[in-house]
Amino acid sequence: MTTVAAPGRNRWLRCRACHALVYRRRMRRNLEVCPECGHHQRLTAAERIGQLVDPDSFTRLADRAAEVDPLGFVDSMPYRRRLAQARAATGLAEAVVCGTARIGGHRAVLAVMDFRFLGGSLGCATGELITRAAEEALAARDPLVLVTASGGARMQEGVLALMQMATVSCAIAELRAAGLLTVSVVTDPTYGGVAASFATNTDLVIAERGARMGFAGPRVIRETIRQALPPGFQTAEFLLRHGQVDMVVERHDLRPRLRALLALAAGGRAGAGPLAAPAGRAEPAHRTAPTPRTGPTPTAWQSVRTARDLARPTTLDYLRTAFDGFVELHGDRLGADCPAIVAGLARLGDQPIAVIGQQKGHDAREMLARNFGMASPAGYRKALRVMGLAARLGLPVVTLIDTPGAHPGVDAEEQGQAAAIATCLRTLARLPTPVVAVVTGEGGSGGALALAVADRVLLLQNAVYSVISPEGCAAILFHDRAAAPRAAAALQLTAPDLVRLGVADGIVGEPPGGAQRDPAGAADRVRAALTAALSDLLAVPITDLLRRRSRRFRRYGAGTVDAGVPQPDTEPTIQVMPR
């Protein structure tokens, strides 16, 4: 924004984006966002802190690090003089302000960069202050929130400035190993060594609307390799599409979003105690008296067709109705955000959880946009990110499975589809937190199993789970795709079949006519089933939980199977809802 003098005491600002004149007080009330075009003005560290933290809660950490001029650097002036000028102009000791605060009542340690100080460049003193902030968070067992605004490493300090990328990254690694949440808020601009270290190696990366981030800036790219840049290159929206950030958030929404994330992390760390069904919700379904199924038992093929019904609730539907406060996380951090996998943090009553699910859709347009629920390697890598976050924060994991299978395209093979699924299987096998999987529709082959190595596996009454689709089995083994109904029966893929085979622990009954007839009723039953399962699992020590999980899948080996059916585990299976 450019300040424009006006008669009297009024002062006006001209937006650099749309060139509109805006009254200064109006701009301040709008958090320095242009009310005409939405352009986000750059903030000082003090302004940013004032917008994010609870009033009068910020306590500044000591910011006097040793003065560093390791090279005796001189360009158009000596480096020491340049530092003195920056301090005089900004009133800051360095390019970052660190302190402790509360956000929505939740404690956190903050390190907020200020671009006015030598372009927010990362030097030895800046790195030292951010590292001290991380160490303060570790000692207090508080989350760390970093707000970045930087042109990169400080050239005047040479390779020692480069080393700060590793110094701060090591401190963040300590926090992650200790199970403490780390969040970076990327603001405009964030480039170079900051982008390639602590701006992106935190648990969560939030981009403010209008932020730009990259390792190499646009001018460097144009001047070094003469490459034309696409529209919107390195913008927040570009980063979201390419899997580099979890979310893009308007400035007005940053504080509420941080508050929600800190609350979820605090709940996981402290433990939420026994789960109880909230008022107005169904009680855990396994406690209800059985009622007989009305009408004839559907055939396997009828179950397949019902499981595929486009009117059935999707993962996003369940997230809106069976869970509370869902915050979606995006991206695999390697270049993509698969729309077929939805993942994030939520609550089930008072219990914070991580949720991962496959998303189809209700019509052809949505199905196409979500790739029919068939995840790419990026989708499974996104799931792995959320699994790891859940383990670090002590959050149970719930997976919602509804897919015909993993995406089988050439691009998926080039990007390592098999390895991505295999890594999910290996990770879930030893994930040190309870895992509950619910097959809500189709459980198609390895694409479904990638999210179903769990302590409890539940199926909705009309869900199916199979090694291959009936059509695929019919084509390969019966040499006739029209034999799909016969193949469905032979595969024994219905919910009662899977309970009998020991693959599923129980069945979540659906309202009369199926979940597609009463989505709200289905959501209540899913919530009740999850409440019951997690209430049991959260009481089990992690070492016992992992041993039981390993034993669960070991029993499917040929040496432990009697007449094709796994022997029952010592744990009772859950009959979750009437069948």
Side-chain angles (χ1 to χ4, degrees), residues 451-484:
L451 301 184
V453 179
D455 303 296
R456 292 286 187 274
V457 177
L458 309 176
L459 271 78
L460 265 68
Q461 182 176 324
N462 291 307
V464 296
Y465 191 8
S466 178
V467 67
I468 192 172
S469 70
E471 295 89 342
C473 178
I476 295 171
L477 297 183
F478 295 87
H479 309 292
D480 180 8
R481 291 187 67 87

PDB file of all heavy atoms in Angstrom, residues 451-484:
ATOM      1  N   LEU A 451      -5.798 -48.616   3.579  1.00  0.00           N
ATOM      2  CA  LEU A 451      -6.328 -47.842   4.704  1.00  0.00           C
ATOM      3  C   LEU A 451      -7.014 -48.730   5.737  1.00  0.00           C
ATOM      4  O   LEU A 451      -7.706 -48.224   6.624  1.00  0.00           O
ATOM      5  CB  LEU A 451      -7.323 -46.790   4.203  1.00  0.00           C
ATOM      6  CG  LEU A 451      -6.808 -45.757   3.200  1.00  0.00           C
ATOM      7  CD1 LEU A 451      -7.892 -44.743   2.883  1.00  0.00           C
ATOM      8  CD2 LEU A 451      -5.552 -45.062   3.712  1.00  0.00           C
ATOM      9  N   ALA A 452      -6.833 -50.038   5.645  1.00  0.00           N
ATOM     10  CA  ALA A 452      -7.607 -50.946   6.487  1.00  0.00           C
ATOM     11  C   ALA A 452      -6.763 -51.892   7.330  1.00  0.00           C
ATOM     12  O   ALA A 452      -7.286 -52.882   7.841  1.00  0.00           O
ATOM     13  CB  ALA A 452      -8.580 -51.750   5.625  1.00  0.00           C
ATOM     14  N   VAL A 453      -5.481 -51.631   7.500  1.00  0.00           N
ATOM     15  CA  VAL A 453      -4.689 -52.405   8.456  1.00  0.00           C
ATOM     16  C   VAL A 453      -4.965 -51.782   9.817  1.00  0.00           C
ATOM     17  O   VAL A 453      -4.287 -50.857  10.256  1.00  0.00           O
ATOM     18  CB  VAL A 453      -3.191 -52.377   8.098  1.00  0.00           C
ATOM     19  CG1 VAL A 453      -2.380 -53.180   9.117  1.00  0.00           C
ATOM     20  CG2 VAL A 453      -2.980 -52.953   6.707  1.00  0.00           C
ATOM     21  N   ALA A 454      -6.007 -52.265  10.472  1.00  0.00           N
ATOM     22  CA  ALA A 454      -6.578 -51.569  11.610  1.00  0.00           C
ATOM     23  C   ALA A 454      -6.817 -52.512  12.782  1.00  0.00           C
ATOM     24  O   ALA A 454      -6.800 -53.732  12.637  1.00  0.00           O
ATOM     25  CB  ALA A 454      -7.903 -50.919  11.194  1.00  0.00           C
ATOM     26  N   ASP A 455      -7.051 -51.916  13.951  1.00  0.00           N
ATOM     27  CA  ASP A 455      -7.387 -52.691  15.145  1.00  0.00           C
ATOM     28  C   ASP A 455      -8.834 -53.148  15.124  1.00  0.00           C
ATOM     29  O   ASP A 455      -9.176 -54.174  15.702  1.00  0.00           O
ATOM     30  CB  ASP A 455      -7.138 -51.827  16.387  1.00  0.00           C
ATOM     31  CG  ASP A 455      -5.716 -51.326  16.459  1.00  0.00           C
ATOM     32  OD1 ASP A 455      -4.812 -52.158  16.576  1.00  0.00           O
ATOM     33  OD2 ASP A 455      -5.511 -50.100  16.373  1.00  0.00           O
ATOM     34  N   ARG A 456      -9.702 -52.390  14.484  1.00  0.00           N
ATOM     35  CA  ARG A 456     -11.094 -52.777  14.276  1.00  0.00           C
ATOM     36  C   ARG A 456     -11.454 -52.480  12.829  1.00  0.00           C
ATOM     37  O   ARG A 456     -11.176 -51.391  12.327  1.00  0.00           O
ATOM     38  CB  ARG A 456     -12.033 -51.969  15.186  1.00  0.00           C
ATOM     39  CG  ARG A 456     -11.900 -52.275  16.652  1.00  0.00           C
ATOM     40  CD  ARG A 456     -12.537 -53.631  17.003  1.00  0.00           C
ATOM     41  NE  ARG A 456     -12.543 -53.830  18.444  1.00  0.00           N
ATOM     42  CZ  ARG A 456     -11.537 -54.333  19.147  1.00  0.00           C
ATOM     43  NH1 ARG A 456     -10.417 -54.670  18.533  1.00  0.00           N
ATOM     44  NH2 ARG A 456     -11.632 -54.485  20.448  1.00  0.00           N
ATOM     45  N   VAL A 457     -12.068 -53.439  12.179  1.00  0.00           N
ATOM     46  CA  VAL A 457     -12.555 -53.263  10.814  1.00  0.00           C
ATOM     47  C   VAL A 457     -14.066 -53.491  10.835  1.00  0.00           C
ATOM     48  O   VAL A 457     -14.524 -54.578  11.193  1.00  0.00           O
ATOM     49  CB  VAL A 457     -11.880 -54.236   9.826  1.00  0.00           C
ATOM     50  CG1 VAL A 457     -12.464 -54.063   8.421  1.00  0.00           C
ATOM     51  CG2 VAL A 457     -10.372 -54.012   9.801  1.00  0.00           C
ATOM     52  N   LEU A 458     -14.809 -52.468  10.488  1.00  0.00           N
ATOM     53  CA  LEU A 458     -16.264 -52.519  10.478  1.00  0.00           C
ATOM     54  C   LEU A 458     -16.771 -52.317   9.060  1.00  0.00           C
ATOM     55  O   LEU A 458     -16.155 -51.583   8.282  1.00  0.00           O
ATOM     56  CB  LEU A 458     -16.847 -51.436  11.389  1.00  0.00           C
ATOM     57  CG  LEU A 458     -16.299 -51.374  12.821  1.00  0.00           C
ATOM     58  CD1 LEU A 458     -16.894 -50.191  13.559  1.00  0.00           C
ATOM     59  CD2 LEU A 458     -16.580 -52.677  13.562  1.00  0.00           C
ATOM     60  N   LEU A 459     -17.883 -52.950   8.726  1.00  0.00           N
ATOM     61  CA  LEU A 459     -18.532 -52.752   7.428  1.00  0.00           C
ATOM     62  C   LEU A 459     -19.953 -52.276   7.641  1.00  0.00           C
ATOM     63  O   LEU A 459     -20.652 -52.793   8.529  1.00  0.00           O
ATOM     64  CB  LEU A 459     -18.563 -54.046   6.609  1.00  0.00           C
ATOM     65  CG  LEU A 459     -17.359 -54.317   5.704  1.00  0.00           C
ATOM     66  CD1 LEU A 459     -16.185 -54.833   6.511  1.00  0.00           C
ATOM     67  CD2 LEU A 459     -17.739 -55.294   4.597  1.00  0.00           C
ATOM     68  N   LEU A 460     -20.363 -51.310   6.840  1.00  0.00           N
ATOM     69  CA  LEU A 460     -21.776 -51.001   6.817  1.00  0.00           C
ATOM     70  C   LEU A 460     -22.529 -52.204   6.260  1.00  0.00           C
ATOM     71  O   LEU A 460     -21.976 -53.020   5.517  1.00  0.00           O
ATOM     72  CB  LEU A 460     -22.047 -49.746   5.989  1.00  0.00           C
ATOM     73  CG  LEU A 460     -22.135 -48.453   6.822  1.00  0.00           C
ATOM     74  CD1 LEU A 460     -20.795 -48.080   7.414  1.00  0.00           C
ATOM     75  CD2 LEU A 460     -22.709 -47.314   6.004  1.00  0.00           C
ATOM     76  N   GLN A 461     -23.770 -52.298   6.596  1.00  0.00           N
ATOM     77  CA  GLN A 461     -24.591 -53.467   6.287  1.00  0.00           C
ATOM     78  C   GLN A 461     -24.582 -53.811   4.798  1.00  0.00           C
ATOM     79  O   GLN A 461     -24.580 -54.984   4.418  1.00  0.00           O
ATOM     80  CB  GLN A 461     -26.020 -53.180   6.750  1.00  0.00           C
ATOM     81  CG  GLN A 461     -27.011 -54.289   6.562  1.00  0.00           C
ATOM     82  CD  GLN A 461     -28.348 -53.904   7.151  1.00  0.00           C
ATOM     83  OE1 GLN A 461     -28.420 -53.232   8.180  1.00  0.00           O
ATOM     84  NE2 GLN A 461     -29.423 -54.317   6.509  1.00  0.00           N
ATOM     85  N   ASN A 462     -24.563 -52.792   3.931  1.00  0.00           N
ATOM     86  CA  ASN A 462     -24.605 -53.038   2.489  1.00  0.00           C
ATOM     87  C   ASN A 462     -23.255 -52.812   1.816  1.00  0.00           C
ATOM     88  O   ASN A 462     -23.192 -52.697   0.590  1.00  0.00           O
ATOM     89  CB  ASN A 462     -25.658 -52.140   1.840  1.00  0.00           C
ATOM     90  CG  ASN A 462     -27.066 -52.533   2.244  1.00  0.00           C
ATOM     91  OD1 ASN A 462     -27.455 -53.689   2.112  1.00  0.00           O
ATOM     92  ND2 ASN A 462     -27.830 -51.585   2.774  1.00  0.00           N
ATOM     93  N   ALA A 463     -22.178 -52.739   2.590  1.00  0.00           N
ATOM     94  CA  ALA A 463     -20.846 -52.568   2.016  1.00  0.00           C
ATOM     95  C   ALA A 463     -20.289 -53.909   1.541  1.00  0.00           C
ATOM     96  O   ALA A 463     -20.753 -54.978   1.945  1.00  0.00           O
ATOM     97  CB  ALA A 463     -19.909 -51.950   3.041  1.00  0.00           C
ATOM     98  N   VAL A 464     -19.298 -53.843   0.675  1.00  0.00           N
ATOM     99  CA  VAL A 464     -18.603 -55.034   0.181  1.00  0.00           C
ATOM    100  C   VAL A 464     -17.100 -54.800   0.246  1.00  0.00           C
ATOM    101  O   VAL A 464     -16.633 -53.663   0.249  1.00  0.00           O
ATOM    102  CB  VAL A 464     -19.032 -55.380  -1.264  1.00  0.00           C
ATOM    103  CG1 VAL A 464     -20.500 -55.757  -1.330  1.00  0.00           C
ATOM    104  CG2 VAL A 464     -18.738 -54.231  -2.221  1.00  0.00           C
ATOM    105  N   TYR A 465     -16.338 -55.905   0.285  1.00  0.00           N
ATOM    106  CA  TYR A 465     -14.876 -55.827   0.435  1.00  0.00           C
ATOM    107  C   TYR A 465     -14.309 -57.058  -0.261  1.00  0.00           C
ATOM    108  O   TYR A 465     -14.661 -58.182   0.090  1.00  0.00           O
ATOM    109  CB  TYR A 465     -14.538 -55.813   1.920  1.00  0.00           C
ATOM    110  CG  TYR A 465     -13.125 -55.487   2.314  1.00  0.00           C
ATOM    111  CD1 TYR A 465     -12.166 -55.040   1.414  1.00  0.00           C
ATOM    112  CD2 TYR A 465     -12.738 -55.624   3.657  1.00  0.00           C
ATOM    113  CE1 TYR A 465     -10.885 -54.739   1.830  1.00  0.00           C
ATOM    114  CE2 TYR A 465     -11.463 -55.334   4.083  1.00  0.00           C
ATOM    115  CZ  TYR A 465     -10.524 -54.889   3.168  1.00  0.00           C
ATOM    116  OH  TYR A 465      -9.249 -54.597   3.581  1.00  0.00           O
ATOM    117  N   SER A 466     -13.440 -56.841  -1.248  1.00  0.00           N
ATOM    118  CA  SER A 466     -13.030 -57.978  -2.069  1.00  0.00           C
ATOM    119  C   SER A 466     -11.638 -57.783  -2.654  1.00  0.00           C
ATOM    120  O   SER A 466     -11.139 -56.658  -2.772  1.00  0.00           O
ATOM    121  CB  SER A 466     -14.033 -58.172  -3.211  1.00  0.00           C
ATOM    122  OG  SER A 466     -13.644 -59.235  -4.053  1.00  0.00           O
ATOM    123  N   VAL A 467     -11.051 -58.879  -3.061  1.00  0.00           N
ATOM    124  CA  VAL A 467      -9.739 -58.863  -3.694  1.00  0.00           C
ATOM    125  C   VAL A 467      -9.789 -58.281  -5.103  1.00  0.00           C
ATOM    126  O   VAL A 467      -8.789 -57.793  -5.624  1.00  0.00           O
ATOM    127  CB  VAL A 467      -9.143 -60.291  -3.715  1.00  0.00           C
ATOM    128  CG1 VAL A 467      -9.955 -61.199  -4.641  1.00  0.00           C
ATOM    129  CG2 VAL A 467      -7.675 -60.279  -4.154  1.00  0.00           C
ATOM    130  N   ILE A 468     -10.955 -58.335  -5.728  1.00  0.00           N
ATOM    131  CA  ILE A 468     -11.123 -57.842  -7.091  1.00  0.00           C
ATOM    132  C   ILE A 468     -12.609 -57.551  -7.300  1.00  0.00           C
ATOM    133  O   ILE A 468     -13.461 -58.086  -6.576  1.00  0.00           O
ATOM    134  CB  ILE A 468     -10.623 -58.884  -8.133  1.00  0.00           C
ATOM    135  CG1 ILE A 468     -10.515 -58.268  -9.538  1.00  0.00           C
ATOM    136  CG2 ILE A 468     -11.496 -60.133  -8.112  1.00  0.00           C
ATOM    137  CD1 ILE A 468      -9.845 -59.197 -10.554  1.00  0.00           C
ATOM    138  N   SER A 469     -12.926 -56.723  -8.256  1.00  0.00           N
ATOM    139  CA  SER A 469     -14.334 -56.473  -8.543  1.00  0.00           C
ATOM    140  C   SER A 469     -14.969 -57.723  -9.141  1.00  0.00           C
ATOM    141  O   SER A 469     -14.290 -58.533  -9.789  1.00  0.00           O
ATOM    142  CB  SER A 469     -14.479 -55.315  -9.523  1.00  0.00           C
ATOM    143  OG  SER A 469     -14.026 -55.700 -10.813  1.00  0.00           O
ATOM    144  N   PRO A 470     -16.267 -57.928  -8.962  1.00  0.00           N
ATOM    145  CA  PRO A 470     -16.927 -59.080  -9.578  1.00  0.00           C
ATOM    146  C   PRO A 470     -16.760 -59.091 -11.101  1.00  0.00           C
ATOM    147  O   PRO A 470     -16.586 -60.167 -11.698  1.00  0.00           O
ATOM    148  CB  PRO A 470     -18.393 -58.913  -9.177  1.00  0.00           C
ATOM    149  CG  PRO A 470     -18.355 -58.121  -7.917  1.00  0.00           C
ATOM    150  CD  PRO A 470     -17.195 -57.185  -8.078  1.00  0.00           C
ATOM    151  N   GLU A 471     -16.790 -57.927 -11.726  1.00  0.00           N
ATOM    152  CA  GLU A 471     -16.618 -57.873 -13.178  1.00  0.00           C
ATOM    153  C   GLU A 471     -15.225 -58.338 -13.585  1.00  0.00           C
ATOM    154  O   GLU A 471     -15.054 -59.085 -14.564  1.00  0.00           O
ATOM    155  CB  GLU A 471     -16.851 -56.443 -13.684  1.00  0.00           C
ATOM    156  CG  GLU A 471     -18.271 -55.938 -13.504  1.00  0.00           C
ATOM    157  CD  GLU A 471     -18.492 -55.257 -12.162  1.00  0.00           C
ATOM    158  OE1 GLU A 471     -17.666 -55.454 -11.225  1.00  0.00           O
ATOM    159  OE2 GLU A 471     -19.486 -54.513 -12.029  1.00  0.00           O
ATOM    160  N   GLY A 472     -14.219 -57.923 -12.814  1.00  0.00           N
ATOM    161  CA  GLY A 472     -12.857 -58.353 -13.125  1.00  0.00           C
ATOM    162  C   GLY A 472     -12.673 -59.842 -12.924  1.00  0.00           C
ATOM    163  O   GLY A 472     -12.049 -60.525 -13.743  1.00  0.00           O
ATOM    164  N   CYS A 473     -13.223 -60.354 -11.831  1.00  0.00           N
ATOM    165  CA  CYS A 473     -13.137 -61.797 -11.579  1.00  0.00           C
ATOM    166  C   CYS A 473     -13.858 -62.580 -12.667  1.00  0.00           C
ATOM    167  O   CYS A 473     -13.352 -63.613 -13.151  1.00  0.00           O
ATOM    168  CB  CYS A 473     -13.735 -62.103 -10.214  1.00  0.00           C
ATOM    169  SG  CYS A 473     -13.754 -63.851  -9.781  1.00  0.00           S
ATOM    170  N   ALA A 474     -15.030 -62.096 -13.084  1.00  0.00           N
ATOM    171  CA  ALA A 474     -15.796 -62.795 -14.123  1.00  0.00           C
ATOM    172  C   ALA A 474     -15.029 -62.840 -15.431  1.00  0.00           C
ATOM    173  O   ALA A 474     -15.011 -63.871 -16.131  1.00  0.00           O
ATOM    174  CB  ALA A 474     -17.141 -62.105 -14.323  1.00  0.00           C
ATOM    175  N   ALA A 475     -14.376 -61.729 -15.779  1.00  0.00           N
ATOM    176  CA  ALA A 475     -13.633 -61.682 -17.042  1.00  0.00           C
ATOM    177  C   ALA A 475     -12.424 -62.603 -17.016  1.00  0.00           C
ATOM    178  O   ALA A 475     -12.109 -63.268 -18.012  1.00  0.00           O
ATOM    179  CB  ALA A 475     -13.198 -60.243 -17.324  1.00  0.00           C
ATOM    180  N   ILE A 476     -11.741 -62.681 -15.869  1.00  0.00           N
ATOM    181  CA  ILE A 476     -10.494 -63.449 -15.802  1.00  0.00           C
ATOM    182  C   ILE A 476     -10.754 -64.935 -15.574  1.00  0.00           C
ATOM    183  O   ILE A 476     -10.161 -65.797 -16.249  1.00  0.00           O
ATOM    184  CB  ILE A 476      -9.591 -62.883 -14.685  1.00  0.00           C
ATOM    185  CG1 ILE A 476      -9.156 -61.447 -15.032  1.00  0.00           C
ATOM    186  CG2 ILE A 476      -8.369 -63.772 -14.475  1.00  0.00           C
ATOM    187  CD1 ILE A 476      -8.458 -60.733 -13.898  1.00  0.00           C
ATOM    188  N   LEU A 477     -11.621 -65.267 -14.632  1.00  0.00           N
ATOM    189  CA  LEU A 477     -11.808 -66.665 -14.247  1.00  0.00           C
ATOM    190  C   LEU A 477     -13.003 -67.327 -14.911  1.00  0.00           C
ATOM    191  O   LEU A 477     -12.997 -68.545 -15.152  1.00  0.00           O
ATOM    192  CB  LEU A 477     -11.940 -66.774 -12.725  1.00  0.00           C
ATOM    193  CG  LEU A 477     -10.712 -66.339 -11.914  1.00  0.00           C
ATOM    194  CD1 LEU A 477     -10.953 -66.561 -10.434  1.00  0.00           C
ATOM    195  CD2 LEU A 477      -9.454 -67.096 -12.374  1.00  0.00           C
ATOM    196  N   PHE A 478     -14.053 -66.544 -15.183  1.00  0.00           N
ATOM    197  CA  PHE A 478     -15.224 -67.117 -15.827  1.00  0.00           C
ATOM    198  C   PHE A 478     -15.263 -66.815 -17.326  1.00  0.00           C
ATOM    199  O   PHE A 478     -16.136 -67.303 -18.036  1.00  0.00           O
ATOM    200  CB  PHE A 478     -16.515 -66.594 -15.169  1.00  0.00           C
ATOM    201  CG  PHE A 478     -16.679 -67.017 -13.743  1.00  0.00           C
ATOM    202  CD1 PHE A 478     -16.134 -66.274 -12.704  1.00  0.00           C
ATOM    203  CD2 PHE A 478     -17.383 -68.166 -13.423  1.00  0.00           C
ATOM    204  CE1 PHE A 478     -16.290 -66.661 -11.387  1.00  0.00           C
ATOM    205  CE2 PHE A 478     -17.551 -68.553 -12.093  1.00  0.00           C
ATOM    206  CZ  PHE A 478     -16.996 -67.811 -11.074  1.00  0.00           C
ATOM    207  N   HIS A 479     -14.307 -66.006 -17.774  1.00  0.00           N
ATOM    208  CA  HIS A 479     -14.185 -65.649 -19.197  1.00  0.00           C
ATOM    209  C   HIS A 479     -15.465 -65.049 -19.756  1.00  0.00           C
ATOM    210  O   HIS A 479     -15.797 -65.221 -20.926  1.00  0.00           O
ATOM    211  CB  HIS A 479     -13.770 -66.880 -20.032  1.00  0.00           C
ATOM    212  CG  HIS A 479     -12.572 -67.589 -19.472  1.00  0.00           C
ATOM    213  ND1 HIS A 479     -11.313 -67.042 -19.470  1.00  0.00           N
ATOM    214  CD2 HIS A 479     -12.467 -68.811 -18.857  1.00  0.00           C
ATOM    215  CE1 HIS A 479     -10.462 -67.884 -18.893  1.00  0.00           C
ATOM    216  NE2 HIS A 479     -11.139 -68.974 -18.514  1.00  0.00           N
ATOM    217  N   ASP A 480     -16.184 -64.356 -18.881  1.00  0.00           N
ATOM    218  CA  ASP A 480     -17.457 -63.768 -19.303  1.00  0.00           C
ATOM    219  C   ASP A 480     -17.831 -62.678 -18.310  1.00  0.00           C
ATOM    220  O   ASP A 480     -18.207 -62.970 -17.172  1.00  0.00           O
ATOM    221  CB  ASP A 480     -18.550 -64.848 -19.333  1.00  0.00           C
ATOM    222  CG  ASP A 480     -19.904 -64.290 -19.760  1.00  0.00           C
ATOM    223  OD1 ASP A 480     -19.969 -63.115 -20.168  1.00  0.00           O
ATOM    224  OD2 ASP A 480     -20.894 -65.054 -19.657  1.00  0.00           O
ATOM    225  N   ARG A 481     -17.740 -61.427 -18.712  1.00  0.00           N
ATOM    226  CA  ARG A 481     -18.044 -60.332 -17.797  1.00  0.00           C
ATOM    227  C   ARG A 481     -19.507 -60.352 -17.345  1.00  0.00           C
ATOM    228  O   ARG A 481     -19.844 -59.827 -16.297  1.00  0.00           O
ATOM    229  CB  ARG A 481     -17.710 -58.990 -18.454  1.00  0.00           C
ATOM    230  CG  ARG A 481     -16.219 -58.763 -18.656  1.00  0.00           C
ATOM    231  CD  ARG A 481     -15.944 -57.344 -19.161  1.00  0.00           C
ATOM    232  NE  ARG A 481     -16.254 -56.325 -18.164  1.00  0.00           N
ATOM    233  CZ  ARG A 481     -15.402 -55.907 -17.226  1.00  0.00           C
ATOM    234  NH1 ARG A 481     -14.183 -56.434 -17.162  1.00  0.00           N
ATOM    235  NH2 ARG A 481     -15.755 -54.973 -16.366  1.00  0.00           N
ATOM    236  N   ALA A 482     -20.360 -60.986 -18.142  1.00  0.00           N
ATOM    237  CA  ALA A 482     -21.758 -61.085 -17.746  1.00  0.00           C
ATOM    238  C   ALA A 482     -21.954 -61.999 -16.540  1.00  0.00           C
ATOM    239  O   ALA A 482     -23.033 -62.028 -15.938  1.00  0.00           O
ATOM    240  CB  ALA A 482     -22.598 -61.592 -18.912  1.00  0.00           C
ATOM    241  N   ALA A 483     -20.905 -62.749 -16.185  1.00  0.00           N
ATOM    242  CA  ALA A 483     -20.994 -63.644 -15.038  1.00  0.00           C
ATOM    243  C   ALA A 483     -20.669 -62.926 -13.727  1.00  0.00           C
ATOM    244  O   ALA A 483     -20.408 -63.575 -12.708  1.00  0.00           O
ATOM    245  CB  ALA A 483     -20.050 -64.831 -15.232  1.00  0.00           C
ATOM    246  N   ALA A 484     -20.692 -61.586 -13.732  1.00  0.00           N
ATOM    247  CA  ALA A 484     -20.356 -60.828 -12.525  1.00  0.00           C
ATOM    248  C   ALA A 484     -21.214 -61.218 -11.321  1.00  0.00           C
ATOM    249  O   ALA A 484     -20.686 -61.358 -10.203  1.00  0.00           O
ATOM    250  CB  ALA A 484     -20.455 -59.332 -12.801  1.00  0.00           C
TER     251      ALA A 484
END
